[in-house]
Each structure stands twice: as C-alpha cells, then as structure tokens.
Amino acid sequence: MMCIKIQSPIATAKPDITFYEISSNVVLAELQQMNLIILHGGLLDSEYYYTTLWGILEAVKYIRKVYPFPKYIAERLDCDDFAMLMKGLLSAEFGINDVGIVFGDTPMGYHAFNVARVEDRRVCIEPQTGEIFEIGGKNYLPEEVLQ
C-alpha cells in the first residue's frame, strides 16, 4: 500500500503589485550616488523593475508566509544566504529585480541584507526577519552591493 501526501493549496493571496521600469544606467547612477562599491564590475540586467513601498512590504510578507525560511546556522546558512534567497524570490515571484544583495555595517557587525528601490528611493530589507526600513535606519549602513 502506498501513501501519498497531498499538499494543501496556498491560502495566501498573491498581492497585486504596481511595477515600474528603470534603465540600468539610472540604477548604476543611484547606487554610485549612495557611495556603494558595486561588486562584479557593474549591473547584469539592462532593465530593472521595482515597485512601491506598499508593494515591497506586501511582496516580502507574501514570500515569508509562502516560503518558510530556514533557521540561521552559523557559517552554513547565514546572512548572505538569506539575502540571496530574498533577492531570488522577489524576482521569481514578482519580477522585482531592482533588489541588491548588500554588505555593510550593522549593530550585529558586518552583515549581508538587501536594498530595494521603491518609488524614488531605496530601502533596506532584513531578509532574516522581513523588516523593511529606510537606508541608515536601525544603523544598517550599506557599503557594497551586488545588483
């Protein structure tokens, strides 16, 4: 006798997010204006897509509800892994690719997190908790970015 486990359907409604398009030249100029060191010598996409603050809040909330994030494991599943996971899921689920993996100083020490464009500015995303706040908020100071 074979048992089959059937996964229940996702009960979380995917938010309807407004998107905006921006050229890589503008993204590059904005990141340089923030005095960030841009890793990998530049940007990989020619066009970038972003949303509103409400859109990024809803997208992150949806992702963290639908995808149970794993537990932190020092050196094996740590901050850079969470930042890559958040960037990938925002792009895969919503097409939001104007999200960078950022490295910088925080109260916890040197740390990886995300920076995303919303309306006319960028905000920080702490991928381990889903918190979103202004650049410099909570003493998160981005230094390097992989866009």
Side-chain angles (χ1 to χ4, degrees):
M1 184 169 167
M2 189 160 113
C3 291
I4 299 174
K5 183 179 179 183
I6 299 174
Q7 183 172 345
S8 61
I10 296 172
T12 304
K14 194 171 189 176
D16 186 19
I17 292 176
T18 302
F19 295 96
Y20 302 97
E21 186 175 347
I22 190 171
S23 76
S24 61
N25 293 334
V26 175
V27 172
L28 184 60
E30 289 177 356
L31 296 174
Q32 289 171 333
Q33 197 170 34
M34 292 173 64
N35 295 317
L36 292 175
I37 297 167
I38 298 163
L39 303 174
H40 193 346
L43 305 182
L44 301 176
D45 295 314
S46 59
E47 296 297 321
Y48 284 84
Y49 298 88
Y50 65 99
T51 187
T52 62
L53 179 59
W54 177 87
I56 205 76
L57 287 164
E58 290 300 309
V60 169
K61 185 175 15 172
Y62 175 85
I63 284 169
R64 292 196 48 87
K65 188 167 187 175
V66 171
Y67 297 95
F69 272 48
K71 299 286 185 214
Y72 175 90
I73 302 172
E75 304 305 322
R76 292 184 55 208
L77 185 59
D78 55 13
C79 60
D80 57 319
D81 300 302
F82 282 91
M84 285 186 264
L85 181 60
M86 182 62 74
K87 177 179 176 46
L89 289 172
L90 284 169
S91 182
E93 282 288 345
F94 293 96
I96 301 170
N97 67 342
D98 196 346
V99 177
I101 299 169
V102 178
F103 303 91
D105 284 323
T106 71
M108 300 169 281
Y110 205 70
H111 185 57
F113 51 101
N114 300 102
V115 170
R117 189 174 208 276
V118 297
E119 285 107 4
D120 59 349
R121 66 190 190 288
R122 294 180 188 278
V123 294
C124 293
I125 303 170
E126 175 45 77
Q128 293 180 57
T129 63
E131 292 177 275
I132 298 172
F133 46 91
E134 298 297 325
I135 300 289
K138 298 185 181 275
N139 290 320
Y140 276 55
L141 305 171
E143 294 177 5
E144 302 172 301
V145 62
L146 177 61
Q147 191 69 17

